[in-house]
Amino acid sequence: MTDLDQTRVELLGAIAAADAEALETIRVSALGKSGSITALMKTLGQMSPEERQAKAPAIQAFRGAVADAIAERKAALDAAALDARLASERLDMTRPVAAGAEGSVHPVSQVMDELAEIFADLGFAVATGPEIEDDWHNFTALNIPETHPARAMHDTFYFPDEEGRAHRMLLRTHTSPVQIRTMMTQQPPIRIIAPGRVYRSDSDATHTPMFHQIEGLVIDKDIHLGHLRWTLETFLKAFFERDDIVLRLRPSYFPFTEPSVEVDVGYSIEKGRRVIGGSEGWMEVLGSGMVHPKVIAACGLDPDEYQGFAFGTGVDRLAMLKYGMDDLRAFFDGDLRWLRHYGFRALDVPTLSGGVGA
Ligand code: PHE
């Protein structure tokens, strides 16, 4: 056995037995700037070409073997350290939460739960659609063709145009594309609500680039504006938990409804604050109307056989009106003080019998 072989056996043995700290010491003393193997490598420079040819392969192989062994040992030690850490930081998720550590339900989630509860009682199912939409579902099928000025009104976040794609992708600007997706996959009678996130490039005290809407859609035979009015009145009475809710329907325009109706709800002033109920003043709360025959036809249904109504409104706005917040941006700041103040206890599930606002 040569000296080199002898050193190699000893070194590899030490590496295999080293802990993290010892391994680093070995690495520095062997492969570091003034390490023994580094010094050995330097001797190659002083050798005659013949000698170098004879000795270099062994020295280089030695260096390679030591470097590999160190890397291998380090990987094994790191893996063992991670396993130990995972074992020691393990949490038993089935144990009760420590007092004071629980989170709260965000007002937006609370209001969405309240809305689902109210509409479930009226026979509506909850439908969903993707937040990354294509412009056909978000606009074209809703009777907003490419050149329509309403496209500009929506301040749309578009994705870069992709070659080979029939429709440009975007972040949905409203929940109305869920109307399309529902009509294309379900047969009437249809009764759905679709709560979810929507996006527009807009930001101030009452606008955030992401906000929440809820869409409602009913498609059946012989549906008329009276059904829409009754549904909205019933929903708003249940939501605001007052019987003196007064609605005012104003003619309006949406490309996907005809006729289109904007819905105001009456408020009164109590102790200097606006509260929903009564009719001292009016607040706009909803967009709605009878689904445009072109939209029904775009989804493959016969508009002579089926009609329906749709409505859409801001969930965040409903939450602000009901629970008295005045800055929309605070909804998405993630400030724990705000969440503790306005949040709801996780076990306070809204029910119609208990009062949805309980
Ligand atoms: N999608 C409309 C908006 O975002 C609201 C709406 C929905 C109007 C359904 C009519 C019918 O402003």
Side-chain angles (χ1 to χ4, degrees), residues 174 176 179 200 213 215 254 256-257 287-288 310-312:
H174 50 179
S176 300
Q179 289 187 32
R200 293 185 199 177
Q213 283 192 337
E215 194 82 7
F254 297 104
F256 34 91
T257 47
S288 64
F311 58 88

Side-chain angles (χ1 to χ4, degrees), residues 299-350:
C299 297
L301 296 173
D302 180 358
D304 290 330
E305 193 179 356
Y306 294 110
Q307 316 74 45
F309 63 79
F311 58 88
T313 183
V315 175
D316 320 275
R317 198 168 137 69
L318 287 178
M320 289 167 86
L321 285 175
K322 181 166 178 180
Y323 294 112
M325 306 89 160
D326 50 17
D327 192 335
L328 179 62
R329 287 169 297 196
F331 275 61
F332 312 118
D333 278 349
D335 185 329
L336 276 178
R337 292 163 302 182
W338 190 91
L339 289 169
R340 282 197 190 111
H341 183 77
Y342 287 110
F344 293 81
R345 291 184 60 93
L347 294 176
D348 281 344
V349 178

Side-chain angles (χ1 to χ4, degrees), residues 88-261:
S88 73
E89 291 178 5
R90 192 185 216 99
L91 280 183
D92 181 353
M93 304 299 279
T94 63
R95 290 180 59 186
V97 175
E102 78 257 46
S104 61
V105 175
H106 194 284
V108 171
S109 304
Q110 169 77 15
V111 166
M112 283 186 177
D113 289 349
E114 292 177 14
L115 294 171
E117 179 70 16
I118 291 168
F119 279 103
D121 195 52
L122 300 177
F124 285 64
V126 173
T128 55
E131 290 169 29
I132 296 175
E133 257 300 359
D134 58 56
D135 72 15
W136 189 83
H137 287 90
N138 196 80
F139 291 126
T140 312
L142 287 160
N143 196 29
I144 314 177
E146 204 104 12
T147 51
H148 200 286
R151 288 205 177 197
M153 269 162 49
H154 279 213
D155 297 313
T156 312
F157 287 113
Y158 281 100
F159 286 84
D161 221 351
E162 247 180 276
E163 221 176 305
R165 257 199 191 283
H167 304 290
R168 195 159 182 200
M169 303 307 281
L170 46 81
L171 291 176
R172 68 178 179 189
T173 57
H174 50 179
T175 42
S176 300
V178 185
Q179 289 187 32
I180 304 300
R181 292 188 175 273
T182 306
M183 280 189 269
M184 292 184 78
T185 52
Q186 290 177 27
Q187 280 304 307
I190 291 171
R191 275 194 298 257
I192 57 114
I193 53 165
R197 292 188 173 121
V198 300
Y199 303 82
R200 293 185 199 177
S201 178
D202 207 352
S203 186
D204 59 39
T206 52
H207 298 90
T208 48
M210 184 283 297
F211 57 105
H212 300 83
Q213 283 192 337
I214 181 164
E215 194 82 7
L217 175 72
V218 169
I219 300 285
D220 202 346
K221 293 178 177 164
D222 305 319
I223 298 292
H224 55 72
L225 217 51
H227 295 120
L228 169 64
R229 190 188 171 104
W230 182 87
T231 305
L232 294 180
E233 197 172 299
T234 305
F235 141 55
L236 290 167
K237 280 181 176 167
F239 181 71
F240 288 109
E241 296 176 82
R242 295 177 69 128
D243 277 330
D244 62 345
I245 297 287
V246 192
L247 296 192
R248 189 171 76 171
L249 271 54
R250 280 181 294 111
S252 181
Y253 173 75
F254 297 104
F256 34 91
T257 47
E258 181 56 41
S260 298
V261 185

